[in-house]
PDB file of all heavy atoms in Angstrom:
ATOM      1  N   GLN A 107      72.877  87.671 206.207  1.00  0.00           N
ATOM      2  CA  GLN A 107      72.779  88.735 207.198  1.00  0.00           C
ATOM      3  C   GLN A 107      71.763  88.441 208.296  1.00  0.00           C
ATOM      4  O   GLN A 107      71.706  89.161 209.281  1.00  0.00           O
ATOM      5  CB  GLN A 107      72.373  90.043 206.486  1.00  0.00           C
ATOM      6  CG  GLN A 107      73.352  90.456 205.387  1.00  0.00           C
ATOM      7  CD  GLN A 107      74.746  90.708 205.911  1.00  0.00           C
ATOM      8  OE1 GLN A 107      74.897  91.309 206.973  1.00  0.00           O
ATOM      9  NE2 GLN A 107      75.763  90.239 205.198  1.00  0.00           N
ATOM     10  N   ASP A 108      70.969  87.427 208.116  1.00  0.00           N
ATOM     11  CA  ASP A 108      69.909  87.147 209.085  1.00  0.00           C
ATOM     12  C   ASP A 108      70.481  86.364 210.251  1.00  0.00           C
ATOM     13  O   ASP A 108      70.907  85.229 210.110  1.00  0.00           O
ATOM     14  CB  ASP A 108      68.778  86.354 208.409  1.00  0.00           C
ATOM     15  CG  ASP A 108      67.540  86.282 209.272  1.00  0.00           C
ATOM     16  OD1 ASP A 108      67.675  86.429 210.495  1.00  0.00           O
ATOM     17  OD2 ASP A 108      66.455  86.079 208.706  1.00  0.00           O
ATOM     18  N   HIS A 109      70.491  86.953 211.450  1.00  0.00           N
ATOM     19  CA  HIS A 109      71.102  86.320 212.614  1.00  0.00           C
ATOM     20  C   HIS A 109      70.269  85.165 213.151  1.00  0.00           C
ATOM     21  O   HIS A 109      70.713  84.446 214.038  1.00  0.00           O
ATOM     22  CB  HIS A 109      71.323  87.354 213.729  1.00  0.00           C
ATOM     23  CG  HIS A 109      72.276  88.441 213.321  1.00  0.00           C
ATOM     24  ND1 HIS A 109      73.616  88.202 213.107  1.00  0.00           N
ATOM     25  CD2 HIS A 109      72.069  89.762 213.069  1.00  0.00           C
ATOM     26  CE1 HIS A 109      74.221  89.343 212.757  1.00  0.00           C
ATOM     27  NE2 HIS A 109      73.296  90.292 212.724  1.00  0.00           N
ATOM     28  N   SER A 110      69.055  84.999 212.628  1.00  0.00           N
ATOM     29  CA  SER A 110      68.264  83.850 213.060  1.00  0.00           C
ATOM     30  C   SER A 110      68.714  82.571 212.382  1.00  0.00           C
ATOM     31  O   SER A 110      68.323  81.482 212.775  1.00  0.00           O
ATOM     32  CB  SER A 110      66.775  84.085 212.740  1.00  0.00           C
ATOM     33  OG  SER A 110      66.577  84.164 211.341  1.00  0.00           O
ATOM     34  N   PHE A 111      69.582  82.688 211.359  1.00  0.00           N
ATOM     35  CA  PHE A 111      70.123  81.515 210.694  1.00  0.00           C
ATOM     36  C   PHE A 111      71.390  81.070 211.404  1.00  0.00           C
ATOM     37  O   PHE A 111      71.856  81.695 212.357  1.00  0.00           O
ATOM     38  CB  PHE A 111      70.405  81.828 209.220  1.00  0.00           C
ATOM     39  CG  PHE A 111      69.178  82.032 208.394  1.00  0.00           C
ATOM     40  CD1 PHE A 111      68.772  83.306 208.025  1.00  0.00           C
ATOM     41  CD2 PHE A 111      68.408  80.958 207.995  1.00  0.00           C
ATOM     42  CE1 PHE A 111      67.640  83.491 207.264  1.00  0.00           C
ATOM     43  CE2 PHE A 111      67.281  81.138 207.232  1.00  0.00           C
ATOM     44  CZ  PHE A 111      66.889  82.400 206.869  1.00  0.00           C
ATOM     45  N   LEU A 112      71.996  80.000 210.908  1.00  0.00           N
ATOM     46  CA  LEU A 112      73.223  79.491 211.510  1.00  0.00           C
ATOM     47  C   LEU A 112      74.367  80.485 211.346  1.00  0.00           C
ATOM     48  O   LEU A 112      74.436  81.215 210.363  1.00  0.00           O
ATOM     49  CB  LEU A 112      73.611  78.175 210.833  1.00  0.00           C
ATOM     50  CG  LEU A 112      72.673  76.996 211.047  1.00  0.00           C
ATOM     51  CD1 LEU A 112      73.175  75.805 210.251  1.00  0.00           C
ATOM     52  CD2 LEU A 112      72.595  76.627 212.518  1.00  0.00           C
ATOM     53  N   ASP A 113      75.294  80.505 212.316  1.00  0.00           N
ATOM     54  CA  ASP A 113      76.476  81.311 212.167  1.00  0.00           C
ATOM     55  C   ASP A 113      77.690  80.415 211.973  1.00  0.00           C
ATOM     56  O   ASP A 113      77.610  79.190 212.043  1.00  0.00           O
ATOM     57  CB  ASP A 113      76.671  82.253 213.370  1.00  0.00           C
ATOM     58  CG  ASP A 113      76.749  81.499 214.686  1.00  0.00           C
ATOM     59  OD1 ASP A 113      77.168  80.319 214.677  1.00  0.00           O
ATOM     60  OD2 ASP A 113      76.396  82.089 215.727  1.00  0.00           O
ATOM     61  N   VAL A 114      78.833  81.025 211.720  1.00  0.00           N
ATOM     62  CA  VAL A 114      80.038  80.266 211.398  1.00  0.00           C
ATOM     63  C   VAL A 114      80.422  79.335 212.529  1.00  0.00           C
ATOM     64  O   VAL A 114      80.788  78.181 212.321  1.00  0.00           O
ATOM     65  CB  VAL A 114      81.196  81.246 211.090  1.00  0.00           C
ATOM     66  CG1 VAL A 114      82.486  80.476 210.852  1.00  0.00           C
ATOM     67  CG2 VAL A 114      80.855  82.102 209.882  1.00  0.00           C
ATOM     68  N   GLU A 115      80.293  79.815 213.763  1.00  0.00           N
ATOM     69  CA  GLU A 115      80.705  78.997 214.908  1.00  0.00           C
ATOM     70  C   GLU A 115      79.868  77.731 215.017  1.00  0.00           C
ATOM     71  O   GLU A 115      80.368  76.640 215.296  1.00  0.00           O
ATOM     72  CB  GLU A 115      80.587  79.816 216.193  1.00  0.00           C
ATOM     73  CG  GLU A 115      81.075  79.063 217.428  1.00  0.00           C
ATOM     74  CD  GLU A 115      80.964  79.914 218.678  1.00  0.00           C
ATOM     75  OE1 GLU A 115      80.559  81.087 218.565  1.00  0.00           O
ATOM     76  OE2 GLU A 115      81.289  79.401 219.753  1.00  0.00           O
ATOM     77  N   ASP A 116      78.547  77.876 214.750  1.00  0.00           N
ATOM     78  CA  ASP A 116      77.677  76.695 214.792  1.00  0.00           C
ATOM     79  C   ASP A 116      78.165  75.636 213.823  1.00  0.00           C
ATOM     80  O   ASP A 116      78.227  74.441 214.144  1.00  0.00           O
ATOM     81  CB  ASP A 116      76.234  77.076 214.422  1.00  0.00           C
ATOM     82  CG  ASP A 116      75.596  77.955 215.475  1.00  0.00           C
ATOM     83  OD1 ASP A 116      75.980  77.826 216.649  1.00  0.00           O
ATOM     84  OD2 ASP A 116      74.725  78.766 215.118  1.00  0.00           O
ATOM     85  N   VAL A 117      78.475  76.045 212.600  1.00  0.00           N
ATOM     86  CA  VAL A 117      78.869  75.090 211.576  1.00  0.00           C
ATOM     87  C   VAL A 117      80.239  74.499 211.873  1.00  0.00           C
ATOM     88  O   VAL A 117      80.481  73.308 211.665  1.00  0.00           O
ATOM     89  CB  VAL A 117      78.850  75.753 210.190  1.00  0.00           C
ATOM     90  CG1 VAL A 117      79.305  74.782 209.121  1.00  0.00           C
ATOM     91  CG2 VAL A 117      77.430  76.236 209.876  1.00  0.00           C
ATOM     92  N   GLN A 118      81.155  75.328 212.398  1.00  0.00           N
ATOM     93  CA  GLN A 118      82.477  74.807 212.746  1.00  0.00           C
ATOM     94  C   GLN A 118      82.371  73.709 213.801  1.00  0.00           C
ATOM     95  O   GLN A 118      83.023  72.676 213.719  1.00  0.00           O
ATOM     96  CB  GLN A 118      83.361  75.952 213.253  1.00  0.00           C
ATOM     97  CG  GLN A 118      83.844  76.884 212.149  1.00  0.00           C
ATOM     98  CD  GLN A 118      84.615  78.063 212.705  1.00  0.00           C
ATOM     99  OE1 GLN A 118      84.395  78.465 213.844  1.00  0.00           O
ATOM    100  NE2 GLN A 118      85.508  78.609 211.896  1.00  0.00           N
ATOM    101  N   ILE A 119      81.526  73.945 214.782  1.00  0.00           N
ATOM    102  CA  ILE A 119      81.338  72.939 215.835  1.00  0.00           C
ATOM    103  C   ILE A 119      80.735  71.674 215.249  1.00  0.00           C
ATOM    104  O   ILE A 119      81.154  70.554 215.547  1.00  0.00           O
ATOM    105  CB  ILE A 119      80.443  73.502 216.958  1.00  0.00           C
ATOM    106  CG1 ILE A 119      81.169  74.649 217.676  1.00  0.00           C
ATOM    107  CG2 ILE A 119      80.061  72.411 217.947  1.00  0.00           C
ATOM    108  CD1 ILE A 119      80.297  75.399 218.667  1.00  0.00           C
ATOM    109  N   ALA A 120      79.745  71.861 214.384  1.00  0.00           N
ATOM    110  CA  ALA A 120      79.090  70.689 213.790  1.00  0.00           C
ATOM    111  C   ALA A 120      80.061  69.913 212.916  1.00  0.00           C
ATOM    112  O   ALA A 120      80.116  68.688 212.953  1.00  0.00           O
ATOM    113  CB  ALA A 120      77.871  71.132 212.982  1.00  0.00           C
ATOM    114  N   TYR A 121      80.825  70.642 212.077  1.00  0.00           N
ATOM    115  CA  TYR A 121      81.767  69.974 211.187  1.00  0.00           C
ATOM    116  C   TYR A 121      82.778  69.142 211.963  1.00  0.00           C
ATOM    117  O   TYR A 121      83.151  68.055 211.553  1.00  0.00           O
ATOM    118  CB  TYR A 121      82.532  71.017 210.362  1.00  0.00           C
ATOM    119  CG  TYR A 121      81.824  71.452 209.106  1.00  0.00           C
ATOM    120  CD1 TYR A 121      80.444  71.302 208.990  1.00  0.00           C
ATOM    121  CD2 TYR A 121      82.512  72.020 208.046  1.00  0.00           C
ATOM    122  CE1 TYR A 121      79.796  71.714 207.850  1.00  0.00           C
ATOM    123  CE2 TYR A 121      81.862  72.435 206.902  1.00  0.00           C
ATOM    124  CZ  TYR A 121      80.494  72.279 206.806  1.00  0.00           C
ATOM    125  OH  TYR A 121      79.853  72.676 205.675  1.00  0.00           O
ATOM    126  N   SER A 122      83.235  69.672 213.102  1.00  0.00           N
ATOM    127  CA  SER A 122      84.274  68.972 213.849  1.00  0.00           C
ATOM    128  C   SER A 122      83.778  67.693 214.471  1.00  0.00           C
ATOM    129  O   SER A 122      84.560  66.902 214.982  1.00  0.00           O
ATOM    130  CB  SER A 122      84.824  69.895 214.945  1.00  0.00           C
ATOM    131  OG  SER A 122      83.815  70.153 215.919  1.00  0.00           O
ATOM    132  N   ASN A 123      82.462  67.469 214.456  1.00  0.00           N
ATOM    133  CA  ASN A 123      81.892  66.275 215.072  1.00  0.00           C
ATOM    134  C   ASN A 123      81.310  65.307 214.073  1.00  0.00           C
ATOM    135  O   ASN A 123      80.557  64.416 214.440  1.00  0.00           O
ATOM    136  CB  ASN A 123      80.814  66.679 216.085  1.00  0.00           C
ATOM    137  CG  ASN A 123      81.407  67.227 217.353  1.00  0.00           C
ATOM    138  OD1 ASN A 123      81.861  66.477 218.201  1.00  0.00           O
ATOM    139  ND2 ASN A 123      81.444  68.550 217.469  1.00  0.00           N
ATOM    140  N   ILE A 124      81.604  65.472 212.792  1.00  0.00           N
ATOM    141  CA  ILE A 124      81.095  64.561 211.781  1.00  0.00           C
ATOM    142  C   ILE A 124      82.165  63.540 211.422  1.00  0.00           C
ATOM    143  O   ILE A 124      83.274  63.907 211.052  1.00  0.00           O
ATOM    144  CB  ILE A 124      80.650  65.326 210.528  1.00  0.00           C
ATOM    145  CG1 ILE A 124      79.443  66.196 210.897  1.00  0.00           C
ATOM    146  CG2 ILE A 124      80.306  64.396 209.399  1.00  0.00           C
ATOM    147  CD1 ILE A 124      78.868  66.926 209.743  1.00  0.00           C
ATOM    148  N   PRO A 125      81.870  62.252 211.537  1.00  0.00           N
ATOM    149  CA  PRO A 125      82.894  61.238 211.328  1.00  0.00           C
ATOM    150  C   PRO A 125      83.447  61.199 209.920  1.00  0.00           C
ATOM    151  O   PRO A 125      84.534  60.700 209.693  1.00  0.00           O
ATOM    152  CB  PRO A 125      82.170  59.926 211.667  1.00  0.00           C
ATOM    153  CG  PRO A 125      80.726  60.240 211.497  1.00  0.00           C
ATOM    154  CD  PRO A 125      80.562  61.662 211.885  1.00  0.00           C
ATOM    155  N   VAL A 126      82.720  61.732 208.947  1.00  0.00           N
ATOM    156  CA  VAL A 126      83.239  61.733 207.582  1.00  0.00           C
ATOM    157  C   VAL A 126      84.494  62.599 207.484  1.00  0.00           C
ATOM    158  O   VAL A 126      85.413  62.301 206.752  1.00  0.00           O
ATOM    159  CB  VAL A 126      82.155  62.253 206.616  1.00  0.00           C
ATOM    160  CG1 VAL A 126      82.750  62.560 205.266  1.00  0.00           C
ATOM    161  CG2 VAL A 126      81.063  61.207 206.471  1.00  0.00           C
ATOM    162  N   TRP A 127      84.505  63.702 208.243  1.00  0.00           N
ATOM    163  CA  TRP A 127      85.602  64.646 208.132  1.00  0.00           C
ATOM    164  C   TRP A 127      86.572  64.560 209.312  1.00  0.00           C
ATOM    165  O   TRP A 127      87.526  65.294 209.399  1.00  0.00           O
ATOM    166  CB  TRP A 127      85.054  66.072 208.031  1.00  0.00           C
ATOM    167  CG  TRP A 127      84.155  66.185 206.864  1.00  0.00           C
ATOM    168  CD1 TRP A 127      84.448  65.888 205.576  1.00  0.00           C
ATOM    169  CD2 TRP A 127      82.802  66.587 206.861  1.00  0.00           C
ATOM    170  NE1 TRP A 127      83.371  66.085 204.766  1.00  0.00           N
ATOM    171  CE2 TRP A 127      82.334  66.521 205.527  1.00  0.00           C
ATOM    172  CE3 TRP A 127      81.898  67.005 207.838  1.00  0.00           C
ATOM    173  CZ2 TRP A 127      81.055  66.860 205.160  1.00  0.00           C
ATOM    174  CZ3 TRP A 127      80.626  67.344 207.474  1.00  0.00           C
ATOM    175  CH2 TRP A 127      80.214  67.262 206.140  1.00  0.00           C
ATOM    176  N   GLY A 128      86.339  63.697 210.253  1.00  0.00           N
ATOM    177  CA  GLY A 128      87.241  63.544 211.389  1.00  0.00           C
ATOM    178  C   GLY A 128      86.688  62.545 212.364  1.00  0.00           C
ATOM    179  O   GLY A 128      85.482  62.504 212.589  1.00  0.00           O
ATOM    180  N   PRO A 129      87.490  61.703 212.982  1.00  0.00           N
ATOM    181  CA  PRO A 129      87.007  60.630 213.858  1.00  0.00           C
ATOM    182  C   PRO A 129      86.829  61.080 215.293  1.00  0.00           C
ATOM    183  O   PRO A 129      87.122  60.345 216.218  1.00  0.00           O
ATOM    184  CB  PRO A 129      88.127  59.595 213.729  1.00  0.00           C
ATOM    185  CG  PRO A 129      89.365  60.426 213.527  1.00  0.00           C
ATOM    186  CD  PRO A 129      88.938  61.639 212.747  1.00  0.00           C
ATOM    187  N   GLN A 130      86.346  62.332 215.502  1.00  0.00           N
ATOM    188  CA  GLN A 130      86.273  62.825 216.867  1.00  0.00           C
ATOM    189  C   GLN A 130      85.198  62.125 217.691  1.00  0.00           C
ATOM    190  O   GLN A 130      85.237  62.134 218.907  1.00  0.00           O
ATOM    191  CB  GLN A 130      85.973  64.333 216.865  1.00  0.00           C
ATOM    192  CG  GLN A 130      87.137  65.175 216.375  1.00  0.00           C
ATOM    193  CD  GLN A 130      87.090  65.366 214.871  1.00  0.00           C
ATOM    194  OE1 GLN A 130      86.356  64.674 214.184  1.00  0.00           O
ATOM    195  NE2 GLN A 130      87.905  66.267 214.363  1.00  0.00           N
ATOM    196  N   MET A 131      84.141  61.590 217.034  1.00  0.00           N
ATOM    197  CA  MET A 131      83.057  60.974 217.802  1.00  0.00           C
ATOM    198  C   MET A 131      83.436  59.552 218.173  1.00  0.00           C
ATOM    199  O   MET A 131      83.793  58.759 217.315  1.00  0.00           O
ATOM    200  CB  MET A 131      81.756  60.975 216.983  1.00  0.00           C
ATOM    201  CG  MET A 131      81.203  62.368 216.744  1.00  0.00           C
ATOM    202  SD  MET A 131      79.620  62.314 215.931  1.00  0.00           S
ATOM    203  CE  MET A 131      78.595  61.676 217.223  1.00  0.00           C
ATOM    204  N   ASN A 132      83.335  59.249 219.433  1.00  0.00           N
ATOM    205  CA  ASN A 132      83.691  57.919 219.920  1.00  0.00           C
ATOM    206  C   ASN A 132      82.447  57.041 219.944  1.00  0.00           C
ATOM    207  O   ASN A 132      81.747  56.960 220.951  1.00  0.00           O
ATOM    208  CB  ASN A 132      84.306  58.020 221.321  1.00  0.00           C
ATOM    209  CG  ASN A 132      85.614  58.785 221.287  1.00  0.00           C
ATOM    210  OD1 ASN A 132      86.409  58.607 220.368  1.00  0.00           O
ATOM    211  ND2 ASN A 132      85.820  59.648 222.276  1.00  0.00           N
ATOM    212  N   ILE A 133      82.154  56.429 218.807  1.00  0.00           N
ATOM    213  CA  ILE A 133      80.999  55.531 218.704  1.00  0.00           C
ATOM    214  C   ILE A 133      81.516  54.108 218.681  1.00  0.00           C
ATOM    215  O   ILE A 133      82.344  53.760 217.859  1.00  0.00           O
ATOM    216  CB  ILE A 133      80.201  55.802 217.415  1.00  0.00           C
ATOM    217  CG1 ILE A 133      79.701  57.246 217.417  1.00  0.00           C
ATOM    218  CG2 ILE A 133      79.034  54.841 217.285  1.00  0.00           C
ATOM    219  CD1 ILE A 133      78.983  57.635 216.141  1.00  0.00           C
ATOM    220  N   PRO A 134      81.027  53.249 219.590  1.00  0.00           N
ATOM    221  CA  PRO A 134      81.474  51.851 219.567  1.00  0.00           C
ATOM    222  C   PRO A 134      81.161  51.209 218.235  1.00  0.00           C
ATOM    223  O   PRO A 134      80.016  51.189 217.799  1.00  0.00           O
ATOM    224  CB  PRO A 134      80.658  51.220 220.705  1.00  0.00           C
ATOM    225  CG  PRO A 134      80.223  52.360 221.566  1.00  0.00           C
ATOM    226  CD  PRO A 134      80.062  53.525 220.658  1.00  0.00           C
ATOM    227  N   MET A 135      82.188  50.700 217.581  1.00  0.00           N
ATOM    228  CA  MET A 135      81.998  50.167 216.228  1.00  0.00           C
ATOM    229  C   MET A 135      81.113  48.930 216.215  1.00  0.00           C
ATOM    230  O   MET A 135      80.525  48.596 215.214  1.00  0.00           O
ATOM    231  CB  MET A 135      83.370  49.840 215.610  1.00  0.00           C
ATOM    232  CG  MET A 135      84.198  51.090 215.347  1.00  0.00           C
ATOM    233  SD  MET A 135      83.332  52.229 214.273  1.00  0.00           S
ATOM    234  CE  MET A 135      84.397  53.655 214.350  1.00  0.00           C
ATOM    235  N   GLY A 136      81.033  48.243 217.315  1.00  0.00           N
ATOM    236  CA  GLY A 136      80.192  47.046 217.334  1.00  0.00           C
ATOM    237  C   GLY A 136      78.725  47.342 217.467  1.00  0.00           C
ATOM    238  O   GLY A 136      77.885  46.459 217.359  1.00  0.00           O
ATOM    239  N   SER A 137      78.379  48.631 217.726  1.00  0.00           N
ATOM    240  CA  SER A 137      76.972  48.987 217.951  1.00  0.00           C
ATOM    241  C   SER A 137      76.357  49.691 216.760  1.00  0.00           C
ATOM    242  O   SER A 137      75.359  50.367 216.888  1.00  0.00           O
ATOM    243  CB  SER A 137      76.869  49.907 219.171  1.00  0.00           C
ATOM    244  OG  SER A 137      77.547  51.127 218.921  1.00  0.00           O
ATOM    245  N   MET A 138      76.958  49.558 215.593  1.00  0.00           N
ATOM    246  CA  MET A 138      76.522  50.323 214.429  1.00  0.00           C
ATOM    247  C   MET A 138      75.609  49.528 213.509  1.00  0.00           C
ATOM    248  O   MET A 138      75.669  49.636 212.296  1.00  0.00           O
ATOM    249  CB  MET A 138      77.733  50.821 213.646  1.00  0.00           C
ATOM    250  CG  MET A 138      78.448  51.939 214.339  1.00  0.00           C
ATOM    251  SD  MET A 138      79.964  52.441 213.525  1.00  0.00           S
ATOM    252  CE  MET A 138      79.650  52.132 211.843  1.00  0.00           C
ATOM    253  N   GLU A 139      74.747  48.725 214.067  1.00  0.00           N
ATOM    254  CA  GLU A 139      73.791  47.988 213.243  1.00  0.00           C
ATOM    255  C   GLU A 139      72.772  48.968 212.665  1.00  0.00           C
ATOM    256  O   GLU A 139      72.267  49.854 213.363  1.00  0.00           O
ATOM    257  CB  GLU A 139      73.076  46.938 214.096  1.00  0.00           C
ATOM    258  CG  GLU A 139      72.171  46.035 213.283  1.00  0.00           C
ATOM    259  CD  GLU A 139      71.587  44.927 214.133  1.00  0.00           C
ATOM    260  OE1 GLU A 139      71.936  44.832 215.312  1.00  0.00           O
ATOM    261  OE2 GLU A 139      70.789  44.156 213.580  1.00  0.00           O
ATOM    262  N   ASN A 140      72.471  48.845 211.380  1.00  0.00           N
ATOM    263  CA  ASN A 140      71.560  49.744 210.677  1.00  0.00           C
ATOM    264  C   ASN A 140      72.013  51.202 210.807  1.00  0.00           C
ATOM    265  O   ASN A 140      71.220  52.106 211.024  1.00  0.00           O
ATOM    266  CB  ASN A 140      70.130  49.584 211.211  1.00  0.00           C
ATOM    267  CG  ASN A 140      69.613  48.183 211.012  1.00  0.00           C
ATOM    268  OD1 ASN A 140      69.889  47.547 210.004  1.00  0.00           O
ATOM    269  ND2 ASN A 140      68.859  47.686 211.986  1.00  0.00           N
ATOM    270  N   PHE A 141      73.279  51.420 210.675  1.00  0.00           N
ATOM    271  CA  PHE A 141      73.864  52.744 210.856  1.00  0.00           C
ATOM    272  C   PHE A 141      73.680  53.563 209.591  1.00  0.00           C
ATOM    273  O   PHE A 141      73.994  53.111 208.490  1.00  0.00           O
ATOM    274  CB  PHE A 141      75.347  52.586 211.190  1.00  0.00           C
ATOM    275  CG  PHE A 141      76.016  53.870 211.557  1.00  0.00           C
ATOM    276  CD1 PHE A 141      75.595  54.607 212.647  1.00  0.00           C
ATOM    277  CD2 PHE A 141      77.088  54.340 210.818  1.00  0.00           C
ATOM    278  CE1 PHE A 141      76.225  55.784 212.998  1.00  0.00           C
ATOM    279  CE2 PHE A 141      77.727  55.517 211.165  1.00  0.00           C
ATOM    280  CZ  PHE A 141      77.292  56.238 212.260  1.00  0.00           C
ATOM    281  N   VAL A 142      73.154  54.784 209.745  1.00  0.00           N
ATOM    282  CA  VAL A 142      72.878  55.651 208.607  1.00  0.00           C
ATOM    283  C   VAL A 142      73.597  56.978 208.804  1.00  0.00           C
ATOM    284  O   VAL A 142      73.501  57.598 209.862  1.00  0.00           O
ATOM    285  CB  VAL A 142      71.368  55.899 208.441  1.00  0.00           C
ATOM    286  CG1 VAL A 142      71.111  56.843 207.267  1.00  0.00           C
ATOM    287  CG2 VAL A 142      70.622  54.598 208.244  1.00  0.00           C
ATOM    288  N   ILE A 143      74.331  57.394 207.802  1.00  0.00           N
ATOM    289  CA  ILE A 143      74.959  58.710 207.791  1.00  0.00           C
ATOM    290  C   ILE A 143      74.136  59.586 206.858  1.00  0.00           C
ATOM    291  O   ILE A 143      73.911  59.237 205.698  1.00  0.00           O
ATOM    292  CB  ILE A 143      76.419  58.638 207.307  1.00  0.00           C
ATOM    293  CG1 ILE A 143      77.244  57.761 208.246  1.00  0.00           C
ATOM    294  CG2 ILE A 143      77.023  60.026 207.203  1.00  0.00           C
ATOM    295  CD1 ILE A 143      78.650  57.491 207.747  1.00  0.00           C
TER     296      ILE A 143
END
Side-chain angles (χ1 to χ4, degrees):
Q107 302 299 319
D108 192 337
H109 297 292
S110 64
F111 291 103
L112 294 177
D113 57 27
V114 176
E115 183 179 357
D116 292 331
V117 178
Q118 286 175 333
I119 294 172
Y121 274 22
S122 66
N123 285 281
I124 294 183
V126 167
W127 302 304
Q130 290 89 346
M131 293 185 70
N132 296 320
I133 300 176
M135 293 303 172
S137 64
M138 287 174 31
E139 186 174 357
N140 299 323
F141 187 61
V142 178
I143 299 173

